[in-house]
Amino acid sequence: MKDENVNQEDDKKLDTTKQDKETTDEKASRLRKSSLKVKDKKKTVIPNREDKTKERTAKEKKDTKKTEEKRRTEENKEKGKIPKAVRETNPKTTPSNQEKSTSSILPKKISNLGWVNRSCVNDQAVKNRVQDLLSSRLIHADHQVEWLARSIQCIDLTTLAGDDCPSNVARLCSKAAHPLSDDLTRALQIKHGLLTTGAVCVYPARVADAVLGLERLGANIPVASVATGFPTGQTSLKIRLEEIEFAVANGAKEIDIVINRELALSQNWGELYNELVEMRKACGESHMKSILAVGELCTLTNIYKASLVAMMAGSDFIKTSTGKETVNATLPIGLVMCRAIRAYNRKTGFKVGFKPAGGIRTSKDVLQWMTLMKEELGDNYLTPDLFRIGASALLNDIERNLANYTTGGYFLAEEMPMA
């Protein structure tokens, strides 16, 4: 009986071990299956992520495409209204500037308005620099004759009087073609007809008379005309543009336009730029000189900013004043404008000319201005391609000083031929 009980207990133990084995086998198979499911799940999850990233990138591409198209359409809308900076055309293409001459290229859009707004001028530093130039940079008396003779080539001989008529203009053209008397030309050993002024400057109504007068003399001198409601500019933009077109149609090769001072004083540089661009278009192949009317801009900083905007809009020259303001061309103002020209040249590679006008009446004045040009902008700015002087009485004083030098005598202004 004992043996039977033992056998039964052994059988029970075997059954329990079998059951345990089965349960462990079942657990193992269950775990295997669950791991396989997890693997499958992992496999299925990965491609879903890839699909999502693909969808996201496709969406982003579409969005960027849309924004790009939007930007292009906006740019196309703005074309013609706000042309792009920056350009510059030299008044006469010299070999060094021939490759960079851009008379046929117009600006498309102002992109450096931040540069204009950030600009600031240190007034005291300007005064110190001018004093240094006047005290330490002097032209030796032996060389003054050559400097004065060269300055004649840079003069825009001007008549802007209310009583201008064909005879006055004809006399002015004759003086421009032969600025010195024959005796003085021979004494200075200058070939006859070689020395002329840079240009003849008149009102738009007198352009045709000036062109005719120079043709009769056989002189190859450009005719410059003031325009755009000179000297105040207080007319509508349409009328100002028509005045430019009238002067160009009559034969003017250079147009002296006046900027809108209201826009400059209110710091509305974008609108001023747009107006100047329209004027540049109206000038066509003729060179544009922008008159800043510095005496009405109040501060040197405003003058600097206006100079930058005028150059960005395509001006071939920037000019100090009309000659009708209370403050005209002074050396501190000239220094600020020269620094603007230099900064613009460094930034863009283009050279813009400079024209001081108003208040330059004596040989001493012109020598100081030429010294400033040489020191600040270099020898290239002592030629009529990049430097002009707006004057009417200056030539008379230069001729008198040259006569005093050659003859050893002293001549009065009244003894010189009329300009």
Side-chain angles (χ1 to χ4, degrees), residues 43-61:
K43 280 179 185 177
T44 52
V45 165
I46 292 162
N48 284 342
R49 281 182 185 168
E50 285 175 3
D51 291 341
K52 280 179 184 177
T53 50
K54 280 178 184 177
E55 281 173 15
R56 204 178 293 118
T57 50
K59 236 183 187 181
E60 283 172 3
K61 279 180 183 177

Side-chain angles (χ1 to χ4, degrees), residues 343-397:
Y344 183 78
N345 175 245
R346 283 177 179 172
K347 201 171 185 73
T348 66
F350 293 120
K351 288 182 179 180
V352 177
F354 177 63
K355 180 179 175 180
I360 304 172
R361 295 185 178 88
T362 65
S363 300
K364 183 183 175 183
D365 292 337
V366 78
L367 290 175
Q368 286 177 348
W369 277 100
M370 291 178 81
T371 303
L372 174 68
M373 301 311 293
K374 181 177 172 62
E375 289 295 316
E376 289 295 321
L377 296 172
D379 290 342
N380 290 335
Y381 278 81
L382 294 175
T383 64
D385 293 343
L386 293 168
F387 180 56
R388 298 289 184 84
I389 304 157
S392 51
L394 175 63
L395 181 57
N396 189 270
D397 189 73

Side-chain angles (χ1 to χ4, degrees), residues 398-415:
I398 290 172
E399 189 175 9
R400 185 175 66 83
N401 276 281
L402 290 174
N404 293 342
Y405 176 82
T406 54
T407 62
Y410 183 82
F411 292 86
L412 298 172
E414 294 80 13
E415 297 178 85

Side-chain angles (χ1 to χ4, degrees), residues 160-171:
L160 297 170
D163 61 350
D164 283 346
C165 58
S167 60
N168 282 0
V169 174
R171 188 182 68 210

